[in-house]
């Protein structure tokens, strides 16, 4: 599978691959217009040809872009449905995932665990108020910003977007 590292994707200089999942590859990139570091989540080529996958990425971009919360990864840009590559641009978090932190650095401390759960709960409450149910909460979808320990919930790829009628049910 070819990498986009070392190439340019629209206004983004793709610096290096930093992660991948079943739907996409994530790159650390530089926004050439705003001169800031970003993360670019690019849909896998074999999925980019499927309208369903492109629409799913679009739903994620539009829904999560409306969620402004300190514990939810912020979305800056989206490729649109007609672009050659389908991608979402988000803030770049320097730090480990919760999974990496638990595996490598965690010393059991109930107060720290309670703080992580509390911050995730606040993020989920905010998303739910916006009609979005994440549906994939796991340590791999949580980042910990190294500079201040801020918890960031990410990857709303399989989120369910509810309308008001479904919310009341």
């Amino acid at each position: 599978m070819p990498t986009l590292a070392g190439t340019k994707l629209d206004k983004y200089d793709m610096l290096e691959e930093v992660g991948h999942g079943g739907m996409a590859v994530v790159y650390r990139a530089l926004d050439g217009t705003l001169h800031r570091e970003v993360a670019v989540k690019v849909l896998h080529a074999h999925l980019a040809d499927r309208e369903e996958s492109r629409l799913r990425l679009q739903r994620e971009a539009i829904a999560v872009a409306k969620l402004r919360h300190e514990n939810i990864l912020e979305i800056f840009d989206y490729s649109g449905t007609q672009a050659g590559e389908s991608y979402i641009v988000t803030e770049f978090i320097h730090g480990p995932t919760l999974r990496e932190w638990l595996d490598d650095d965690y010393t059991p401390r109930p107060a720290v665990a309670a703080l992580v759960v509390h911050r995730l709960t606040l993020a989920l409450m905010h998303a739910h108020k916006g009609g979005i149910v994440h549906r994939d909460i796991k340590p791999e979808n949580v980042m910990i910003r190294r500079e201040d320990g801020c918890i960031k919930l990410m990857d709303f790829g399989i989120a369910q977007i509810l309308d008001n009628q479904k919310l009341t049910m």
Side-chain angles (χ1 to χ4, degrees):
M1 180 177 295
T3 182
L4 292 176
T7 67
K8 193 168 185 83
L9 178 60
D10 295 333
K11 64 179 183 172
Y12 303 102
D13 292 315
M14 308 298 272
L15 303 174
E16 66 179 324
E17 184 178 323
V18 294
H20 59 280
M23 278 197 66
V25 179
V26 179
Y27 295 89
R28 183 174 65 89
L30 181 65
D31 180 328
T33 302
L34 296 175
H35 305 287
R36 67 177 169 183
E37 195 173 40
V38 294
V40 181
K41 178 180 176 179
V42 182
L43 203 58
H44 286 305
H46 70 278
L47 295 175
D49 293 337
R50 297 182 183 169
E51 184 178 358
E52 176 187 331
S53 298
R54 292 171 78 89
L55 290 174
R56 185 170 159 186
L57 190 73
Q58 179 186 38
R59 279 194 311 271
E60 176 184 1
I62 292 170
V64 179
K66 294 175 185 174
L67 299 178
R68 296 272 195 222
H69 192 275
E70 66 181 327
N71 298 116
I72 296 175
L73 192 72
E74 187 174 355
I75 291 186
F76 296 146
D77 197 5
Y78 163 62
S79 63
T81 55
Q82 303 305 316
E85 296 279 356
S86 293
Y87 62 85
I88 293 176
V89 180
T90 70
E91 63 181 304
F92 185 83
I93 304 297
H94 285 275
T97 64
L98 181 56
R99 165 56 54 220
E100 293 165 341
W101 183 71
L102 289 170
D103 290 347
D104 299 339
D105 298 326
Y106 182 67
T107 302
R109 291 187 298 258
V112 173
L115 178 63
V116 169
V117 170
H118 174 70
R119 297 312 302 183
L120 287 174
T121 302
L122 293 175
L124 291 169
M125 283 176 28
H126 183 75
H128 291 180
K129 285 180 186 175
I132 298 171
V133 178
H134 189 285
R135 298 194 329 171
D136 197 20
I137 302 297
K138 59 186 178 184
E140 293 82 359
N141 286 340
V142 177
M143 296 286 302
I144 303 170
R145 193 166 52 204
R146 190 173 291 120
E147 71 183 56
D148 60 3
C150 183
I151 301 295
K152 292 283 189 170
L153 180 60
M154 59 182 192
D155 198 355
F156 283 73
I158 65 169
Q160 184 173 11
I161 299 158
L162 303 174
D163 59 26
N164 288 335
Q165 186 177 20
K166 287 183 182 174
L167 279 174
T168 57
M169 288 175 59

